[in-house]
Amino acid sequence: MHVLLVEDEPAIADTLVYALKTECFDVHHALTGQAALDAFAAKSFDFAILDIGLPDMTGLEVCKKLRESSSVPVLFLTARDGEVDRILGLELGGDDYVTKPFSPREIVARIRAILRRSQNGSAAPAPAAAKPELPAGPLQHDPHAMRIHCHGTELDLTAHEYKLLLVFLKNPRRVLSRDQLLDHAWADPGAVTDRTIDAHIKSIRAKLRAVKAGAEDFIQTRRGLGYLFVP
Ligand code: CA
């Protein structure tokens, strides 16, 4: 498994390279966006980890360029929560993201999960443009309009409800703690509390139920742990 790691901070890069090599990944480390694109042109990679803040261009721009010729799974590393909004908003075809600081073990787990998803999703690699945003199911995401449909009916969601539900859609059957949901859906997670998450989930469930009785059960509560999306 060949991994392209693009990260300009040596301390973070060293830790990740070590963790990935321990897990038997073959790692190519690039310090800049251009070095990453050059490496990508010269060699085929199975996975890319892109830091957003790079000296010469953003990780988002690197992803956009990669997507011109490849549907390689991409995991973004973000330093600021504000960047998460841009990743979600731009819909660049990144597969996941983690916010710094993170543990190398978390990165390895995310990579394995993404690879499992992409292997289950399609036997033959599809061109980037044709890659489905999410697997087919009762909930459908329209990334361009930034809308989510339930059984064909468009849900009238607030911005935070949309981001929250999107986090669930992208992480099916995975328990998400309130902290993880806050990190992913709020630009400033310090400003809100666990109760905020609970209130938003209650509202999302009500909107799902309004479309179809029972649809609210897509989001299940795991007491003491968080929430789980079961499509
Ligand atoms: Ca950086």
Side-chain angles (χ1 to χ4, degrees):
M1 195 60 73
H2 302 292
V3 177
L4 175 61
L5 168 66
V6 193
E7 168 61 75
D8 61 315
E9 288 169 61
I12 294 176
D14 289 350
T15 314
L16 273 181
V17 166
Y18 178 79
L20 291 166
K21 284 191 171 163
T22 305
E23 295 287 324
C24 297
F25 289 103
D26 174 55
V27 189
H28 180 97
H29 173 214
L31 285 160
T32 64
Q34 191 54 52
L37 294 172
D38 291 346
F40 201 80
K43 189 179 161 185
S44 77
F45 288 94
D46 304 295
F47 201 93
I49 303 173
L50 305 180
D51 180 32
I52 302 273
L54 295 167
D56 56 340
M57 63 182 86
T58 69
L60 302 170
E61 288 168 315
V62 175
C63 181
K64 206 184 278 181
K65 291 213 163 80
L66 292 184
R67 282 283 171 266
E68 289 170 7
S69 63
S70 163
S71 57
V72 65
V74 168
L75 175 71
F76 286 112
L77 307 179
T78 82
R80 298 189 314 274
D81 294 308
E83 291 172 343
V84 170
D85 289 337
R86 293 181 58 202
I87 297 171
L88 287 173
L90 287 173
E91 292 294 346
L92 281 167
D95 293 271
D96 204 350
Y97 54 89
V98 287
T99 308
K100 296 174 183 174
F102 48 75
S103 72
R105 214 203 288 175
E106 182 184 3
I107 301 282
V108 170
R110 294 281 185 104
I111 293 177
R112 294 215 182 282
I114 293 168
L115 288 173
R116 243 189 337 265
R117 278 208 302 268
S118 63
Q119 276 155 12
N120 290 343
S122 58
K131 190 181 162 200
E133 163 67 14
L134 293 165
L139 292 181
Q140 293 288 334
H141 179 219
D142 178 349
H144 300 292
M146 298 179 81
R147 297 278 186 193
I148 295 170
H149 299 254
C150 176
H151 292 290
T153 302
E154 184 181 305
L155 295 168
D156 182 20
L157 301 170
T158 66
H160 280 132
E161 289 167 359
Y162 166 76
K163 287 181 194 173
L164 264 182
L165 193 48
L166 193 53
V167 175
F168 281 116
L169 288 174
K170 290 188 170 181
N171 297 278
R173 295 188 180 82
R174 178 167 141 190
V175 174
L176 298 163
S177 69
R178 290 177 178 79
D179 281 343
Q180 285 173 318
L181 292 167
L182 279 173
D183 282 347
H184 284 71
W186 265 262
D188 180 11
V192 287
T193 66
D194 288 358
R195 278 168 182 263
T196 312
I197 289 282
D198 295 343
H200 278 80
I201 298 233
K202 194 175 170 192
S203 171
I204 292 172
R205 279 180 172 151
K207 289 175 182 182
L208 290 169
R209 186 172 53 236
V211 171
K212 189 173 181 186
E216 69 272 20
D217 293 335
F218 289 143
I219 300 174
Q220 300 179 1
T221 306
R222 285 292 171 85
R223 282 200 199 292
L225 296 173
Y227 293 98
L228 177 75
F229 174 56
V230 183

Short mmCIF file of all heavy atoms in Angstrom, two decimals, residues 6-9 12 31 51-55 77 79 100, ligand 1:
data_model
loop_
_atom_site.label_atom_id
_atom_site.label_comp_id
_atom_site.label_asym_id
_atom_site.label_seq_id
_atom_site.Cartn_x
_atom_site.Cartn_y
_atom_site.Cartn_z
N VAL A 6 1.62 14.49 2.51
CA VAL A 6 2.03 15.86 2.21
C VAL A 6 1.86 16.68 3.48
O VAL A 6 0.74 16.96 3.90
CB VAL A 6 1.18 16.46 1.07
CG1 VAL A 6 1.83 17.73 0.56
CG2 VAL A 6 1.01 15.46 -0.05
N GLU A 7 2.95 17.03 4.09
CA GLU A 7 2.92 17.71 5.40
C GLU A 7 4.23 18.48 5.55
O GLU A 7 5.30 17.92 5.37
CB GLU A 7 2.77 16.66 6.51
CG GLU A 7 3.01 17.16 7.92
CD GLU A 7 2.04 18.26 8.33
OE1 GLU A 7 0.87 17.96 8.61
OE2 GLU A 7 2.46 19.44 8.35
N ASP A 8 4.14 19.79 5.84
CA ASP A 8 5.35 20.61 5.91
C ASP A 8 5.92 20.71 7.32
O ASP A 8 7.01 21.25 7.49
CB ASP A 8 5.08 22.00 5.34
CG ASP A 8 4.01 22.73 6.11
OD1 ASP A 8 2.96 22.10 6.40
OD2 ASP A 8 4.19 23.91 6.43
N GLU A 9 5.20 20.23 8.32
CA GLU A 9 5.74 20.31 9.69
C GLU A 9 6.49 19.01 9.99
O GLU A 9 5.87 17.94 10.08
CB GLU A 9 4.61 20.51 10.70
CG GLU A 9 4.02 21.91 10.65
CD GLU A 9 2.75 22.00 11.47
OE1 GLU A 9 2.83 21.77 12.69
OE2 GLU A 9 1.69 22.28 10.89
N ILE A 12 5.28 16.57 12.88
CA ILE A 12 4.06 15.82 12.58
C ILE A 12 4.36 14.75 11.53
O ILE A 12 3.94 13.60 11.64
CB ILE A 12 2.96 16.77 12.08
CG1 ILE A 12 2.55 17.71 13.23
CG2 ILE A 12 1.76 16.00 11.56
CD1 ILE A 12 1.54 18.75 12.84
N LEU A 31 7.07 17.70 1.16
CA LEU A 31 6.99 18.88 2.04
C LEU A 31 6.15 20.00 1.45
O LEU A 31 5.68 20.88 2.17
CB LEU A 31 8.40 19.43 2.30
CG LEU A 31 9.27 18.62 3.26
CD1 LEU A 31 10.74 18.95 3.06
CD2 LEU A 31 8.86 18.89 4.70
N ASP A 51 -2.03 17.72 4.16
CA ASP A 51 -2.15 18.83 5.10
C ASP A 51 -2.76 20.01 4.34
O ASP A 51 -2.48 20.20 3.15
CB ASP A 51 -0.74 19.20 5.61
CG ASP A 51 -0.78 20.36 6.60
OD1 ASP A 51 -1.77 20.48 7.33
OD2 ASP A 51 0.21 21.12 6.63
N ILE A 52 -3.64 20.77 5.00
CA ILE A 52 -4.28 21.90 4.30
C ILE A 52 -3.31 23.07 4.15
O ILE A 52 -3.21 23.68 3.09
CB ILE A 52 -5.53 22.38 5.08
CG1 ILE A 52 -6.53 21.24 5.26
CG2 ILE A 52 -6.16 23.57 4.37
CD1 ILE A 52 -7.49 21.05 4.15
N GLY A 53 -2.58 23.37 5.23
CA GLY A 53 -1.68 24.54 5.20
C GLY A 53 -0.29 24.14 4.74
O GLY A 53 0.51 23.64 5.51
N LEU A 54 0.00 24.38 3.46
CA LEU A 54 1.31 24.06 2.90
C LEU A 54 1.98 25.35 2.46
O LEU A 54 1.30 26.35 2.22
CB LEU A 54 1.16 23.10 1.71
CG LEU A 54 0.60 21.71 2.05
CD1 LEU A 54 0.19 20.96 0.79
CD2 LEU A 54 1.63 20.91 2.83
N PRO A 55 3.31 25.34 2.32
CA PRO A 55 3.99 26.60 2.00
C PRO A 55 3.63 27.18 0.63
O PRO A 55 3.56 28.40 0.47
CB PRO A 55 5.48 26.24 2.05
CG PRO A 55 5.57 24.86 2.55
CD PRO A 55 4.23 24.23 2.54
N LEU A 77 -5.60 16.78 6.62
CA LEU A 77 -5.19 17.17 7.97
C LEU A 77 -5.46 18.66 8.11
O LEU A 77 -4.99 19.45 7.29
CB LEU A 77 -3.69 16.91 8.17
CG LEU A 77 -3.18 15.51 7.85
CD1 LEU A 77 -1.67 15.44 8.07
CD2 LEU A 77 -3.88 14.47 8.70
N ALA A 79 -5.53 22.20 10.58
CA ALA A 79 -5.01 22.80 11.81
C ALA A 79 -6.09 23.60 12.51
O ALA A 79 -6.07 23.77 13.72
CB ALA A 79 -3.82 23.70 11.49
N LYS A 100 -5.98 18.69 13.78
CA LYS A 100 -4.80 18.63 14.65
C LYS A 100 -5.16 19.22 16.01
O LYS A 100 -5.93 20.17 16.05
CB LYS A 100 -3.65 19.43 14.04
CG LYS A 100 -3.15 18.86 12.73
CD LYS A 100 -2.11 19.81 12.14
CE LYS A 100 -1.65 19.29 10.79
NZ LYS A 100 -0.74 20.22 10.10
CA CA B 1 1.13 22.82 7.58
#
